[in-house]
Amino acid sequence: MTDLLKFITFEGGEGAGKSTQARLLADWLRGAGHEVVLTREPGGSPGAERIRTLILTADPQPEQRFDGLTEALLHAAARRDHCLKVVMPALDRGAFVISDRFSDSTIAYQGFGLGVPLETLTRLHDLAVPRCIRPSTTFLLELSPEDGLARARHRTSTSGPAIDRYEAEELEFHQRIGVGFNAIAEAEPNRVQRIDAGRCVDEAEESIRSIIRFRYQP
Ligand code: T5A
């Protein structure tokens, strides 16, 4: 039976530490004997990973870029495939699913960042996502856009691929994303747990563990 309580997401701006904390939480839960599927968006299934490439390498020339609604449609298509192929089957067999980003990112980035009406995004979510599933717990990693972009660019310059389509946006765009995540957290304070991501990795990890202990007693 589908256990939506075990659907956990990580959200926040660029470089806030979502991937780091998602991985640490997955390792901890596995160590306690649970099956955990650690996944991400955009992506997470082979088809959705192909769409991810399309989105994140979109033409950097402003006049050639997808508009906000086209991006939202691509994210929704990727999310549908990810949910059908990975998220739902895992929840159906009782596993924890930890996703590095999910639909809150569409509200923050395509809604607050690019100006797509929130009502349109809600309708798109209801259309694309099987059974309209939503996470039961979302960790919002909060860090200033300046610090987050610095972390992301440091990581990119030392190990990773070129700066992606969103990292290349101006600071004001990332500030609007922060406003968007804040609005989501204020609207759903029980689901969305704010984590101060400016602290060291271990301290943020311990905050997350204490919330998981309280909610799930793993
Ligand atoms: N997007 C996504 C949309 O526009 N709409 C959508 O619907 C969805 C789902 C995805 C992009 O797509 C957009 C949002 C994104 O721009 P991505 O590459 O997956 O692209 O981007 P991010 O999710 O932002 O991933 P990042 O890797 O940039 O950020 P993370 O995961 O938050 O950070 P992380 O853990 O990789 O850490 C970054 C660096 O900081 C260090 C790490 O070691 C690493 O070097 N670090 C810390 N340093 C100091 N203190 C700490 N506490 C630290 N925690 C991590």
Side-chain angles (χ1 to χ4, degrees):
M1 197 181 110
T2 312
D3 189 351
L4 289 178
L5 283 178
K6 290 184 171 175
F7 186 24
I8 297 168
T9 57
F10 281 80
E11 297 280 5
E14 307 294 312
K18 299 171 298 299
S19 313
T20 303
Q21 293 299 336
R23 195 170 52 247
L24 288 168
L25 177 59
D27 289 347
W28 184 61
L29 287 170
R30 284 178 186 134
H34 298 280
E35 184 194 352
V36 180
V37 172
L38 177 60
T39 186
R40 70 171 180 181
E41 288 203 353
S45 62
E49 288 290 331
R50 288 199 296 277
I51 299 174
R52 177 188 173 91
T53 303
L54 194 62
I55 296 169
L56 295 185
T57 57
D59 198 310
Q61 300 295 326
E63 65 280 8
Q64 297 299 332
R65 271 187 209 145
F66 297 131
D67 77 341
L69 180 56
T70 307
E71 277 192 10
L73 289 162
L74 288 170
H75 280 291
R79 182 161 304 128
R80 178 171 179 78
D81 192 65
H82 179 219
C83 286
L84 287 172
K85 307 279 172 42
V86 175
V87 178
M88 298 304 297
L91 293 173
D92 283 345
R93 60 177 191 269
F96 276 96
V97 173
I98 299 176
S99 186
D100 183 353
R101 296 193 184 277
F102 193 65
S103 51
D104 293 326
S105 283
T106 310
I107 300 290
Y109 280 75
Q110 280 66 49
F112 284 79
L114 297 175
V116 179
L118 301 187
E119 190 195 311
T120 302
L121 296 177
T122 303
R123 281 168 48 211
L124 203 50
H125 178 92
D126 293 349
L127 178 72
V129 175
R131 290 184 252 166
C132 298
I133 61 162
R134 290 185 183 275
S136 63
T137 301
T138 295
F139 292 106
L140 174 59
L141 271 60
E142 296 188 297
L143 187 66
S144 72
E146 291 90 340
D147 290 347
L149 286 167
R151 278 188 194 171
R153 285 174 182 150
H154 174 74
R155 188 243 307 109
T156 299
S157 66
T158 52
S159 60
I163 287 172
D164 71 35
R165 179 250 171 285
Y166 299 106
E167 285 170 10
E169 284 280 352
E170 79 276 15
L171 185 59
E172 288 71 27
F173 171 81
H174 295 283
Q175 287 167 337
R176 290 198 298 278
I177 295 210
V179 170
F181 279 126
N182 187 53
I184 293 168
E186 284 189 350
E188 292 185 75
N190 185 47
R191 173 175 71 86
V192 182
Q193 298 291 311
R194 297 171 183 268
I195 302 294
D196 177 358
R199 296 169 299 164
C200 69
V201 171
D202 292 357
E203 285 175 9
E205 180 188 18
E206 187 44 45
S207 297
I208 290 165
R209 282 189 186 184
S210 69
I211 291 164
I212 292 289
R213 275 190 209 101
F214 180 74
R215 293 196 160 198
Y216 301 92
Q217 288 141 14

